C-alpha cells in the first residue's frame, strides 16, 4: 500500500511539472502571437484630431511602450495570478467579463454535455452488447451521419427551420430582453430553457456520437472477457451483467469526456455567434475584432486551462475506475 502511495505521488509530481511546462509554453506562444498582430488598440481611437503626444500618452497608459521583456514578464505574472487587467474598450476588469462569459458558456454546454454522455453511454453500451442487431446498425449509421455533418451547418439549418420558418423557438440569446439576469433566476426561468433548446439540440446531435461509437467499440472488447462468464455461471440476470460490462468499458470514455469538454469550450465559438449566445467564444471574436488584447488573451487562456484541467483529472481518475491501473 505504501509503495502504491509513493508511486502515485511521483506520478502526480511529474504530471504537475509537465502541466506547468505546458501552461508556460501556451502563455509564451500567446504572447508572441499577440505581438505579431498588425496595429495596436490605439489605432481604433486615433483620428486627425489626435496628436502624437496624445497617442504616446495612451500607449504608456496601457503599457504598450514598455520594453518587450518587461511586458513579457508582467504578462506572465498577471496571467498566472489571474490578474487579467482591464478591458481597453469596456472599461471593466477582465476577470469580471470572463466570469460572466464562462458562466454563460457553461449554461449552454453543460446540459448538452450531460445529455450526450448519459444517452450516448446507454445507446453505445446496448449497441455493443447486441452486436449485429437492427438497433446497433441504426445507432452506428445515425452516429456516423451526425458526426460527419459540421455543427455550424446543423445550427444554421435548425435556425432556419425552427425559428424563421415554423417560428416555434426563439432565434438567439439566452433570455428575452428584460428577462432575468441572475444565475439562479435565469436557470429557474422557463425562457432560458426555451432559448437553450436550439443550441443544445445542435450540440447534442454532434457530441452524442462520440460516446456511442466509443462505448460500442469498448463493449465489444469487454464482451468476451472471462469475468462475464463467471457472472453468468453465478446466475446473474443479463441486466446486471450488462451493468458490470459497461463499468469496465467506461475507461476510454473518461479521456474522451475530458477532450470533449475542452473541445466544447473551444469549438462552440461559431454556435455562440449563430445563436447570439453571450459566451466566451463570442466574446473572444469580438475582442479580436476590437484588438482588445487583455480580453482576448484571458479568453484563450481560460479555454486552454479547461482543456488541460480536464485531461489532468481524467488521468487521476483512471485508478478509481480501473483497479488494474497503477502509477509505478
Amino acid at each position: 500500500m505504501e509503495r502504491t502511495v509513493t508511486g502515485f505521488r511521483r506520478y502526480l509530481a511529474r504530471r504537475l511539472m509537465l502541466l506547468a511546462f505546458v501552461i508556460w509554453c501556451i502563455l509564451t506562444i500567446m504572447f508572441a502571437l499577440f505581438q505579431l498582430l498588425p496595429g495596436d488598440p490605439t489605432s481604433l481611437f486615433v483620428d486627425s484630431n489626435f496628436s502624437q503626444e496624445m497617442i504616446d500618452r495612451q500607449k504608456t497608459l496601457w503599457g504598450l511602450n514598455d520594453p518587450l521583456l518587461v511586458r513579457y514578464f508582467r504578462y506572465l505574472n498577471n496571467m498566472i495570478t489571474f490578474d487579467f487587467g482591464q478591458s481597453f474598450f469596456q472599461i471593466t476588469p477582465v476577470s469580471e467579463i470572463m466570469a460572466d462569459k464562462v458562466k454563460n458558456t457553461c449554461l449552454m454546454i453543460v446540459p448538452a454535455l450531460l445529455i450526450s454522455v448519459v444517452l450516448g453511454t446507454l445507446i453505445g453500451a446496448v449497441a455493443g452488447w447486441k452486436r449485429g442487431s437492427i438497433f446497433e446498425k441504426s445507432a452506428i449509421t445515425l452516429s456516423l451521419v451526425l458526426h460527419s455533418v459540421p455543427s455550424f451547418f446543423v445550427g444554421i439549418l435548425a435556425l432556419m427551420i425552427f425559428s424563421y420558418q415554423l417560428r416555434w423557438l426563439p432565434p438567439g440569446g439566452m433570455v428575452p430582453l428584460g428577462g432575468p439576469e441572475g444565475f439562479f433566476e435565469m436557470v429557474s426561468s422557463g425562457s432560458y430553457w426555451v432559448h437553450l433548446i436550439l443550441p443544445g439540440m445542435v450540440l447534442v446531435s454532434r457530441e452524442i456520437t462520440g460516446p456511442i461509437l466509443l462505448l460500442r467499440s469498448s463493449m465489444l472488447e469487454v464482451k468476451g472477457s472471462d469475468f462475464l462468464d463467471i457472472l453468468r455461471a453465478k446466475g446473474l440476470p443479463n441486466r446486471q451483467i450488462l451493468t458490470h460490462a459497461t463499468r469496465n468499458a467506461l475507461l476510454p470514455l473518461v479521456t474522451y469526456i475530458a477532450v470533449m469538454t475542452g473541445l466544447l469550450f473551444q469549438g462552440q465559438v461559431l454556435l455562440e455567434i449563430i445563436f447570439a449566445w453571450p459566451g466566451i467564444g463570442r466574446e473572444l471574436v469580438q475582442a479580436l475584432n476590437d484588438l482588445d488584447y487583455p480580453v482576448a488573451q484571458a479568453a484563450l487562456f481560460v479555454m486552454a486551462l479547461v482543456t488541460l484541467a480536464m485531461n489532468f483529472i481524467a488521468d487521476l481518475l483512471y485508478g478509481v475506475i480501473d483497479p488494474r491501473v497503477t502509477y509505478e
Side-chain angles (χ1 to χ4, degrees):
M1 182 67 178
E2 182 179 353
R3 185 178 178 182
T4 302
V5 174
T6 303
F8 175 75
R9 289 176 179 174
R10 291 177 180 174
Y11 173 80
L12 182 60
R14 291 196 304 267
R15 290 291 286 116
L16 288 174
M17 292 175 61
L18 179 60
L19 185 64
F21 175 74
V22 172
I23 291 175
W24 174 76
C25 291
I26 291 174
L27 290 176
T28 302
I29 293 173
M30 284 172 48
F31 179 81
L33 289 176
F34 278 95
Q35 293 302 311
L36 295 175
L37 286 177
D40 60 73
T42 59
S43 61
L44 298 179
F45 293 101
V46 173
D47 58 28
S48 57
N49 297 323
F50 276 69
S51 64
Q52 187 62 41
E53 182 181 356
M54 296 171 62
I55 298 175
D56 291 338
R57 188 185 305 118
Q58 189 63 47
K59 288 184 177 181
T60 302
L61 179 63
W62 286 345
L64 299 176
N65 283 334
D66 294 338
L68 184 63
L69 283 178
V70 174
R71 281 182 282 151
Y72 174 67
F73 286 109
R74 182 176 59 208
Y75 157 81
L76 286 181
N77 178 72
N78 291 341
M79 298 298 280
I80 292 174
T81 57
F82 296 97
D83 181 11
F84 300 128
Q86 194 174 51
S87 170
F88 289 161
F89 299 91
Q90 302 183 43
I91 318 299
T92 305
V94 177
S95 57
E96 295 183 7
I97 299 174
M98 287 297 102
D100 183 60
K101 301 307 178 182
V102 168
K103 177 200 69 176
N104 294 341
T105 296
C106 289
L107 287 173
M108 180 175 74
I109 70 173
V110 170
L113 182 65
L114 293 176
I115 294 174
S116 300
V117 171
V118 173
L119 288 183
T121 299
L122 293 176
I123 295 174
V126 175
W129 190 256
K130 297 183 177 181
R131 184 176 184 180
S133 64
I134 297 178
F135 179 85
E136 185 212 18
K137 294 177 182 178
S138 302
I140 298 304
T141 302
L142 183 60
S143 297
L144 292 175
V145 171
L146 292 176
H147 189 75
S148 61
V149 180
S151 58
F152 70 87
F153 174 77
V154 178
I156 295 175
L157 188 63
L159 201 62
M160 292 174 57
I161 295 175
F162 295 105
S163 291
Y164 298 120
Q165 295 294 330
L166 300 177
R167 299 184 182 277
W168 288 353
L169 298 169
M174 293 180 61
V175 290
L177 293 176
E181 297 182 358
F183 176 80
F184 294 104
E185 292 81 3
M186 186 181 303
V187 172
S188 60
S189 67
S191 59
Y192 156 71
W193 294 101
V194 172
H195 282 75
L196 179 64
I197 291 177
L198 270 184
M201 181 174 61
V202 174
L203 283 174
V204 170
S205 69
R206 170 72 179 184
E207 302 305 327
I208 197 175
T209 59
I212 290 176
L213 297 174
L214 190 61
L215 253 296
R216 182 255 183 186
S217 177
S218 184
M219 182 64 77
L220 291 178
E221 297 179 4
V222 175
K223 192 175 180 181
S225 300
D226 294 335
F227 78 93
L228 293 182
D229 295 331
I230 297 176
L231 294 179
R232 293 189 184 94
K234 290 182 177 180
L236 266 67
N238 287 332
R239 191 191 324 184
Q240 292 187 20
I241 297 176
L242 176 60
T243 302
H244 285 282
T246 302
R247 183 179 182 274
N248 283 268
L250 283 177
L251 185 58
L253 186 63
V254 175
T255 304
Y256 184 82
I257 292 174
V259 175
M260 182 168 61
T261 304
L263 291 177
L264 276 175
F265 255 89
Q266 301 174 33
Q268 87 298 348
V269 177
L270 290 176
L271 289 183
E272 288 185 355
I273 294 175
I274 291 172
F275 294 104
W277 195 276
I280 189 172
R282 190 163 175 249
E283 186 67 22
L284 171 62
V285 174
Q286 186 63 46
L288 290 174
N289 289 333
D290 294 339
L291 296 180
D292 197 347
Y293 293 167
V295 175
Q297 288 174 340
L300 289 173
F301 184 53
V302 169
M303 290 179 179
L305 278 184
V306 170
T307 303
L308 293 174
M310 292 305 300
N311 281 278
F312 180 72
I313 292 173
D315 288 342
L316 297 182
L317 288 177
Y318 277 174
V320 177
I321 297 177
D322 192 344
R324 296 170 296 179
V325 176
T326 61
Y327 297 101
E328 296 295 333

